[in-house]
Amino acid sequence: MPHTIHKILSLCLLMGVALSFHSYSQSKVINSGWQFSEDQSNWQTVNIPHTWNKTDAFDDLRGYRRGLGYYQKQVFIPLEESDKIHYLKFNAVNQEATILVNGIKVGSHKGGYTAFNFNITEFVKYNAYNLIQVTVDNSHNVDIPPLDADFTFYGGIYRDVELITLSKQHFSLDDFASEGFYINYPYVSKGAGKIEVTGIINNSDVSDAKLKLIISLIDHEDYLLIDRTEKFEIKSKSSESIVSSTLKIVHPKLWSPESPYLYKLKLVLQDNEGNILDSKTSNVGFRWASVDPEKGFFLNGKPIKLIGVNRHQDYKGFGNAVPMALQKEDIHLIKDMGANVVRFAHYPHSRALYDLCDELGILVWTEIPVINLVTDSKAYFDVSLAMQKEHIKQYYNHPSVVMFGYMNEIFIRLAFNNKLTAADKENLKVESVKLATQLENLTRRLAPNHITVMACHLNDVYNETGIADLPMLLGWNLYFGWYDRQIEDLGPFLDEQHRRFPNRVLFLSEYGPGADVRIFTDNPKKFDFSTDYQAKLHQSYYKQIADRPFMAGMTAWNFADFGSEFRGDAIPHVNQKGLVQYDRTPKDVYYWYKSVLDDTEPFVYIATAYLNGLTLFKNETYPIQIYSNQKEASVVLNGKTLKTVQFENGVATIEVPFEHGKNKINVVSGDIDIQNEIDINRIQSLDFNDFERFGINIGAHFFFYDEERNITFVPDQPYKLNWFGHFNGEAFGMTKDKNQGIPHNIKNSTSEPLFQTMLEGCSTYKVDIPNGRYKVDLFFVEPQIKPTENIYNLSEATNDSEKKQRIFDISINNIVVEKRFNMVKAYPEKYGITLSTTITILNNKGLTIDLKPIEGQPVISGILIEKMN
């Protein structure tokens, strides 16, 4: 049949749906104008999506509100809809919800990340307003996963609420809140593609019905390729599964990340007279995926290395109640980086994002939040299995979804919980394997032609128990060079696993260090939160995975920084392992990934965006990285060519002799000419002629750009004559493997990297500045406190002592600033203290700070000196 006729038929079908709109289903989003209360006394008007934790999960108080929240809304339902069926659908509520309509309970749901709905027809009043009430509870519940995880469990109704109106005969919404139909691909090849559709039809009428189900496959240009009509009769008050005959097309355009070609499947339910009762559409992508323990992941018969990211759904300023436009921008950023896979961690995300992955060609690993620990109870098992059923049935039809997962690091709590007896641990192992086996079997049964996945942390317990042998693909969450060992230990570990378990297909499901764009250094060290160390680790990991054909791929942890309330990282309450910041501003490493993953067009990036206030002494140079997918480029500084650099693994490093003031860097490769401008403070002496303020990040090896004070603090050093530095003392909390200082939130400050690093036992610090009048700020915090347990350090626990009293006198040039300074007694725990004084320097004595110990050892975190007129 000519294409024009096919298109006319397709358009007629669509017009028929439109003309019959009054007779079939419709969904109305009812997000606006809800009333919310925490105590059912004081109410405020809110819109959905909504969470009650977007502020308190980021304040200085430990913990965040986990408990009850109450929502209510009036919805008018007209008399004309009295012959319809009405459903109330919640796309996600965290984590337990009880629903009432007009004061009558219609149902409850457990689990915070999948959709659920209720038939509310019998509770509705027509030609009247109907009161919808929702009680939400995000309290810890031992029977609802996740029990414990490295992210914040924001409470609230945080995805759309829908009022769905249906004809008496309709696609079922009762099969775990799915769309009521499932697409299977019995056969796909380059030569032919077959699909089979199963529709679940409900008849809510009191009489039997004769119906027709029209199934049409339409190509990307809206041409009707093939259709089928299934006629059937359905009994009253019943539900029936209708399986279509196979639809076949020859030479289908295959779906892939490079060419994500989508067909459209349209399902139309009609009565015997041809009136439309219900209609559904879905993306169709012809593709097939497989895995091999020696050669990794295959798509459409070709090997493909999966390189991408994990993603959490929360966003700075919104918690998990994020506008959809912002969430979709995440997926575009992931695609623009060149990624071909995303792991939606550690729970199902909004279905609109899976639609976008379908369209953009991003493969998806999706999973449920059975994380860290299993409760040995029937209720926990039942909820977990129900979650996976909801998960698979609601996300089944997306062509992008190739992997269904069900567990993440399930033994991590067991491994680090010293309170459990040996018998308790053995029982938990047995129960965890038992649940994993049930979830694996369920997933294989409900999701044929998909790959089952699970992720483990660095512990041989997964091998010992045999749980690692269950999934088709095993993910390892590995943090060599951050929590464990060294960066270069990744490859040998994977080689060992491959040798020991040659039939397993391996995937690097998590990796990455924390990185704060305010921290930079020419000497990156493990666990210093510098962007430089982040680049070092990611660049090495990528090469180690690329060099191993048996590795199916890797997903960086994480796409974006995300909320984790208990954390005391450089930015407290935020896990900073993202390739982009919490507000989605890219870090430099994002562009490095683009240089190795995206070859669609020439690309060059100069990694100087975050060198705010870089201070260089005397004739120092500073190394900068340039990222590109080209072979080489010329580097020009202030109009003078420095050298031609060669790119290896997407990166070239060059020592740059910056000048004082504004510097222009040009990188030229072929037709590309990229220019960055950077301000440099080049200090030949501490004479304050070219600068007004000078700050030192005592106890640290890195620069820190302090937004509060709008200055970059320089790294510490031992004293040098006519310069600055400490005479004694040791950097507190610093080791070969840990260079953060103290991993705690500093109350009353957002300048954690200034306070977290410090010298202990420093009695004298000298800065050789000339005569004059200066304002001097000294920064302190008491480091020895009892920390909140952080199992994610994945290392031996440290025995931090309880609060200790340390008392010392502080003087500058023999003038007492503070007598018997006692932080424990005078200030709250983890409080950032600033002592300010004004001093006049005479007789070229410079600035000498003396810390005289009375009890314990003195500590000091930083100095800021400002020249006064």
Side-chain angles (χ1 to χ4, degrees), residues 512-557:
D516 187 329
V517 297
R518 302 172 299 172
I519 296 175
F520 53 94
T521 176
D522 60 355
N523 181 28
K525 296 181 180 181
K526 185 178 177 181
F527 221 100
D528 65 4
F529 285 87
S530 70
T531 53
D532 309 272
Y533 190 80
Q534 183 182 42
K536 178 180 178 180
L537 186 145
H538 280 275
Q539 290 162 13
S540 177
Y541 267 51
Y542 175 78
K543 191 172 188 312
Q544 291 182 71
I545 296 300
D547 288 344
R548 288 166 169 79
F550 65 85
M551 289 300 298
M554 58 196 295
T555 43
W557 189 264

Side-chain angles (χ1 to χ4, degrees), residues 337-354:
M337 188 185 85
N340 58 18
V341 64
V342 61
R343 180 187 179 205
F344 284 123
H346 288 298
Y347 41 78
H349 293 216
S350 171
R351 278 197 58 191
L353 304 185
Y354 295 69

Side-chain angles (χ1 to χ4, degrees), residues 142-254:
V142 295
D143 293 326
I144 304 177
L147 302 178
D148 171 85
D150 185 13
F151 58 91
T152 301
F153 303 160
Y154 305 93
I157 305 175
Y158 70 94
R159 291 185 195 153
D160 290 348
V161 182
E162 301 173 60
L163 181 62
I164 302 173
T165 303
L166 301 163
S167 300
K168 293 287 178 65
Q169 295 82 30
H170 55 265
F171 288 97
S172 175
L173 299 184
D174 299 328
D175 193 26
F176 293 90
S178 75
E179 293 297 311
F181 70 97
Y182 303 99
I183 305 169
N184 284 298
Y185 299 80
Y187 179 79
V188 180
S189 73
K190 294 178 181 178
K194 297 179 181 179
I195 60 173
E196 183 180 87
V197 182
T198 300
I200 305 173
I201 310 301
N202 280 5
N203 180 13
S204 301
D205 209 345
V206 294
S207 57
D208 299 349
K210 294 182 178 180
L211 304 173
K212 292 187 292 185
L213 177 60
I214 303 172
I215 304 172
S216 307
L217 186 65
I218 303 164
D219 73 8
H220 197 64
E221 288 73 39
D222 288 333
Y223 292 110
L224 177 63
L225 299 177
I226 190 170
D227 61 3
R228 292 281 187 272
T229 299
E230 307 289 344
K231 296 182 179 181
F232 59 97
E233 185 171 348
I234 183 171
K235 298 294 183 181
S236 64
K237 301 293 183 180
S238 68
S239 181
E240 186 170 335
S241 293
I242 307 300
V243 181
S244 77
S245 55
T246 302
L247 301 175
K248 177 181 178 181
I249 64 172
V250 296
H251 303 300
K253 295 183 179 179
L254 298 180

Side-chain angles (χ1 to χ4, degrees), residues 26 28 30 73-88 101-102 119-132 162-166:
Q26 60 174 311
K28 180 167 62 176
I30 53 170
K73 179 179 174 62
Q74 299 275 0
V75 177
F76 186 83
I77 300 180
L79 183 62
E80 298 80 48
E81 294 182 355
S82 59
D83 63 339
K84 303 291 184 181
I85 304 301
H86 304 280
Y87 274 79
L88 199 56
V101 174
N102 296 321
N119 186 335
I120 61 170
T121 308
E122 65 178 288
F123 308 103
V124 166
K125 298 175 182 177
Y126 296 100
N127 230 25
Y129 278 94
N130 292 261
L131 177 63
I132 300 169
E162 301 173 60
L163 181 62
I164 302 173
T165 303
L166 301 163

